């Protein structure tokens, strides 16, 4: 491979890798799931999962603001996100480090019942349907959903590596065919 091709391959690979590593500058999506049980009644359990949509990452606060939610809680569809400050002082912030939510957490509604998921020494869900319910959460997960630019970057790097290997193999075979008779040919020796 000549110098220009190697340089182009190096520049393209570097650009793809750097693009795939950049923090999102637009809205991001995160998968969430959690489960737990009522301390007083082990048969009373909660499981929830879905997608959180956020605004752009704010480096000053190291957080995203949750602007939408979809998913289910105990098989019921989540109706929507509650505005910040409307249930137990929720702020709807999602942090990149630990914990993923603070002591104010994010809140959503299903029918007439509001729920707040927050962190105070552990992750907890509090619900209100005329009376309060509470669940210490035994599992809690929030993971980013890769952006299409990340997927395109990974696919581009994979394609470039594959093309490079194919070109190297082709060059090897071309060089082998150009050798004088008897050299490199075990059948003629």
């Amino acid at each position: 491979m000549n110098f220009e091709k190697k340089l182009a391959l190096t520049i393209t690979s570097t650009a793809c890798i750097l693009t795939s590593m950049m923090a999102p500058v637009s809205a991001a999506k995160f998968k969430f799931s959690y489960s737990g049980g009522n301390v007083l009644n082990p048969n009373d359990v909660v499981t929830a999962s879905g997608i959180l949509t956020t605004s752009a990452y704010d480096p000053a606060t190291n957080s995203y603001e949750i602007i939408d939610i979809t998913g289910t809680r105990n098989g019921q569809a989540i109706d929507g996100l509650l505005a910040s400050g409307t249930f137990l002082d929720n702020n709807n912030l999602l942090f990149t480090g630990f914990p993923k939510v603070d002591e104010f957490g994010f809140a959503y509604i299903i029918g007439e019942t509001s729920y707040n998921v927050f962190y105070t020494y552990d992750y907890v869900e509090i619900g209100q349907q005329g009376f309060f319910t509470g669940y210490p959460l035994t599992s809690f997960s929030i993971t980013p959903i890769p952006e299409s630019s990340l997927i395109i970057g990974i696919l581009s790097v994979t394609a470039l590596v594959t093309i490079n290997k194919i070109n190297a193999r082709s060059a090897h075979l071309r060089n082998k065919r150009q050798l004088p008779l008897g050299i490199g040919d075990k059948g003629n020796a």
Side-chain angles (χ1 to χ4, degrees):
M1 186 182 291
N2 64 26
F3 176 75
E4 291 82 17
K5 287 183 181 178
K6 286 182 180 179
L7 181 61
L9 180 64
T10 302
I11 291 171
T12 305
S13 298
T14 303
C16 288
I17 290 169
L18 291 176
T19 300
S20 67
M21 292 171 49
M22 290 183 352
V25 293
S26 60
K29 292 186 182 270
F30 296 83
K31 289 182 189 178
F32 77 90
S33 66
Y34 64 83
S35 63
N38 188 313
V39 176
L40 301 176
N41 181 358
N43 296 323
D44 184 11
V45 296
V46 61
T47 59
S49 64
I51 306 284
L52 300 171
T53 302
T54 68
S55 62
Y57 173 72
D58 181 3
T61 61
N62 198 30
S63 68
Y64 299 86
E65 180 184 2
I66 301 168
I67 57 174
D68 193 23
I69 186 172
T70 59
T72 61
R73 180 191 181 277
N74 287 353
Q76 292 184 298
I78 294 171
D79 294 329
L81 186 71
L82 293 172
S84 292
T86 58
F87 183 55
L88 301 176
D89 294 328
N90 65 299
N91 60 12
N92 296 343
L93 293 180
L94 176 62
F95 297 94
T96 59
F98 176 83
K100 292 296 185 188
V101 294
D102 59 13
E103 67 272 14
F104 305 108
F106 66 93
Y108 61 89
I109 191 162
I110 298 175
E112 300 293 319
T113 307
S114 299
Y115 299 96
N116 185 311
V117 180
F118 59 95
Y119 183 87
T120 304
Y121 304 109
D122 211 347
Y123 291 104
V124 178
E125 180 207 75
I126 299 282
Q128 181 184 21
Q129 50 192 9
F131 59 92
F132 282 96
T133 60
Y135 297 90
L137 302 178
T138 54
S139 75
F140 184 88
S141 171
I142 294 182
T143 57
I145 298 172
E147 290 186 37
S148 58
S149 64
L150 174 62
I151 294 168
I152 290 170
I154 291 169
L155 291 175
S156 298
V157 170
T158 303
L160 289 171
V161 168
T162 303
I163 290 168
N164 189 28
K165 288 185 180 212
I166 291 170
N167 285 339
R169 179 75 175 146
S170 296
H172 173 72
L173 292 174
R174 277 193 307 271
N175 289 339
K176 188 174 181 181
R177 279 188 242 139
Q178 293 174 359
L179 293 174
L181 289 177
I183 300 176
D185 186 3
K186 292 180 183 177
N188 292 337

